[in-house]
Amino acid sequence: MNLNWLKRDPEVYWNPYVGGALLGLVLGGAFILAGEGLGGSGGLSRVVAALTDLFAPRYAERNPLIAAWVGGDASPLNHRMVWMALGALIGGFLSGAMRGRVKLETRKGPRITVKQRWVLALLGGIITGFAARLARGCASGQALSGGASLSLGSWLFIIAVFGMGYILAYPLRRLWI
Amino acid sequence: MAPLHLGDSALVSLLTGLAFGFVLESSGFADSRRIAAQFYLGEMRVLKVMFTALVVAMLIIFLGVQLGYVDYAALWVPPTYIWPGIIGGLLLGTGFIVGGFCPGTSLTSVATLKIDGFFFVGGMLIGTFIFNDLAQSFLLFFQTSGAMGRVTLMDALGVSTGVIAVGIVLITLGSFLLAEKSEAHFGPIRAKALAEAERADKEQP
């Protein structure tokens, strides 16, 4: 099955300022339509709550971090952030398919093996899942949405994210350059 | 008067997410290499996209407020929890370097079948579960440490929205100037790493 509709150079991306302006329209639009910004991790948090509820309903109902979502008749999956994450999957696929980028492959730095990259991606994902819950949002929900709506906490979060990224970049450079 | 309170509409959320994912992928963020490059100074895509978006959305919101179309009090401003937010930010920055994604970008990576994206998202599910379990033992910290409620930069710094907005625009433009200089300087290192990585890609099974 050919998942790529148009033959274009897959490595050519939008000009970042253009992409940023369009992302800003989407973000501003979300605030106008819903009164809230965007979210990336929120949907996944709901998925985890639903899975926990599925396999260990008694534990889920007693865990104060998710009890409010799993109690009652409504599924934790029936939430704005879940729809948004689903939409992001579809939108990402459409964009990739239009430029020939839908391809089963591993993206990594030149100095590590594919298997090493998988382990690091898993580890980074675990850290990030934990982090996004602790910070009550991620680069989308806190940094972008809270940054644009001028939340103090979100700006402190932005500084922390970029600060830590730059602190670790050099010691961990073998992963990427 | 905005907001239009369509947050409960599944269709609106789905379409918003669709546009979000489309723009992220088109900007190069399904590729962990292009994200990590931000921290090696040769390709400042993350900074440019993020801060252009932040400024454009900020202007939409606050020009809307100024013109009387938007009710700021009705908008969701993420409440401030100083220490959970900062420690979470430090960890998210760690996840960026170790894993190569943030949550939103990893979704587009999965959507374009990047195997590292699947591992990252799988990791996030595990990490979220670990948090939900462990946080029961530091619930007080999570819920009360530096908890200040809805605090804006205007409240914190005691200046007007206009000053904050102009300040953010100026800082952003300054950071873009620096980003262009940084790319001119570190670009060759970046190009070499990218070429090596692409050569290595060809050897992937």
Side-chain angles (χ1 to χ4, degrees), chain B residues 131-147:
Chain B
F131 178 87
N132 289 343
D133 195 56
L134 286 188
Q136 296 179 97
S137 58
F138 58 86
L139 204 57
L140 200 65
F141 169 81
F142 179 59
Q143 290 177 340
T144 63
S145 172

Side-chain angles (χ1 to χ4, degrees), chain A residues 3 11 13-14 16-17 19-28 30-36 38-41 44-45 47-48 52 59 62-66 80 83-96 98-99 101-111 114 117-118 120-136 138-144 146-158 160-162 164-166 168-170 172-173 175-177, chain B residues 2-7 10 12-14 16-23 25-28 31-34 36 38-41 44-45 48-54 56-58 60-62 70 72 75-78 80-82 84-104 107 110-116 119-120 123-136 138-139 142-143 151-154 156 164 168 176 180 193 196-198 200-201 204:
Chain A
L3 294 174
E11 293 297 328
Y13 294 96
W14 283 354
Y17 297 116
L22 290 170
L23 183 57
L25 289 179
V26 176
L27 177 58
F31 270 106
I32 299 295
L33 291 172
E36 295 178 36
L38 303 169
S41 56
L44 291 168
S45 295
V47 169
V48 170
T52 310
Y59 168 85
R62 279 185 284 113
N63 183 323
L65 279 307
I66 54 173
R80 171 171 188 268
W83 291 108
M84 191 170 293
L86 193 62
L89 284 172
I90 299 169
F93 171 77
L94 291 177
S95 168
M98 285 167 66
R99 278 91 159 191
R101 291 196 284 260
V102 179
K103 187 181 166 204
L104 195 65
E105 63 182 339
T106 299
R107 291 284 177 157
K108 62 177 190 63
R111 259 166 267 288
V114 170
R117 170 72 186 121
W118 291 350
L120 288 162
L122 184 73
L123 182 65
I126 293 172
I127 296 168
T128 301
F130 190 95
R133 283 290 274 143
L134 180 60
R136 297 173 167 82
C138 56
S140 320
Q142 277 291 356
L144 274 179
S149 61
L150 304 181
S151 159
L152 169 68
S154 298
W155 278 90
L156 295 175
F157 175 79
I158 293 173
V161 172
F162 277 91
M164 196 59 170
Y166 280 108
L168 290 179
Y170 191 75
L172 296 182
R173 64 191 178 283
L175 305 190
W176 297 108
I177 60 173
Chain B
L4 302 175
H5 299 290
L6 296 171
V12 167
S13 299
L14 189 76
T16 305
L18 195 151
F20 180 40
F22 193 95
V23 174
E25 206 286 333
S26 295
S27 299
D31 182 352
S32 52
R33 284 206 286 258
R34 305 245 165 208
Q38 169 67 35
F39 297 100
Y40 297 95
L41 305 172
M44 307 290 273
R45 230 162 224 291
K48 292 179 188 176
V49 172
M50 239 178 113
F51 278 85
T52 306
L54 195 157
V56 166
M58 176 186 78
I60 290 173
I61 294 170
F62 291 97
V70 175
Y72 184 44
L75 296 187
W76 166 254
V77 175
T80 294
Y81 294 80
I82 303 262
I86 289 178
I87 297 170
L90 296 173
L91 287 172
L92 201 92
T94 308
F96 251 125
I97 295 289
V98 175
F101 295 108
C102 62
L107 290 176
V110 162
T112 53
L113 303 184
K114 304 293 173 267
I115 302 169
D116 46 330
F119 276 96
F120 189 91
M124 273 201 303
L125 297 177
I126 298 169
T128 303
F129 180 81
I130 292 174
F131 178 87
N132 289 343
D133 195 56
L134 286 188
Q136 296 179 97
F138 58 86
L139 204 57
F142 179 59
Q143 290 177 340
V151 186
T152 65
L153 290 177
M154 292 74 87
I164 294 284
I168 287 176
F176 289 168
E180 296 297 336
E196 281 181 39
E198 278 169 8
D201 281 351
Q204 271 185 43

